[in-house]
Amino acid sequence: MTPRDVVNGYFAALARQDTAAAVEFLDPEVVDEISSVGVLRGRDEVRQFFDGLFKAVPDLEMRVERTVRERDTVAVQWRAQGTFTGGPLFNGIQATGGEVRMRGCDVFDVRDDLIVRNIAFQDGLELARSLGLFPPQESPAERAMIGAFNTATKVRAAVRDRFGPSSG
């Protein structure tokens, strides 16, 4: 089996929401670094993460858009979407009933037909917008938020200029 076959099998199992099958593609000591979540160690932690994700978004659809392989490393560009109707998502965010959209890129290292390491990068801003944690792009709410941020930045700079770098 090629490294690409291993990774494709892993994503196919996740697309079916079959976490038992998905973890069979992982080394028992796998390290999975997910940018929006943290580091998961071992099959059990990875399975718990995906079980929670599928519980939070029961109709989650995942699709691979592109894979690139170099020796034992496979990069996967992916998209996922579904309805956030189940349990809490990620760090305790309560279900909104709205659509969740995610996109990202995972970089897998494969040895002896098992994934030994994954570094997953997600578009956190797209996810935050879809969850309602961040206002829609170019909306009045976003402009107001950016304006408030810029005002606070100017105030902090003025305090630093007046009282020194340890202030503000």
Side-chain angles (χ1 to χ4, degrees), residues 15-110:
R16 296 188 310 272
Q17 297 191 13
D18 185 350
T19 56
V23 298
E24 292 301 316
F25 290 95
L26 303 176
D27 184 86
E29 304 300 318
V30 67
V31 175
D32 198 343
E33 297 179 48
I34 303 174
S35 62
S36 61
V37 175
V39 178
L40 307 175
R41 296 181 188 284
R43 288 177 172 176
D44 288 342
E45 287 188 14
V46 173
R47 184 174 184 172
Q48 288 171 7
F49 167 77
F50 279 106
D51 284 343
L53 177 61
F54 296 142
K55 181 178 179 187
V57 188
D59 64 345
L60 188 70
E61 295 179 14
M62 299 181 72
R63 75 176 182 277
V64 172
E65 294 186 328
R66 177 171 45 165
T67 61
V68 178
R69 175 183 171 213
E70 182 176 308
R71 291 184 286 282
D72 292 340
T73 301
V74 180
V76 178
Q77 180 182 340
W78 55 266
R79 284 192 184 267
Q81 69 181 48
T83 312
F84 186 18
T85 57
L89 183 64
F90 300 128
N91 296 315
I93 300 168
Q94 293 299 311
T96 63
E99 181 184 40
V100 174
R101 293 179 310 279
M102 296 179 273
R103 68 179 173 171
C105 181
D106 286 29
V107 180
F108 296 93
D109 292 324
V110 178

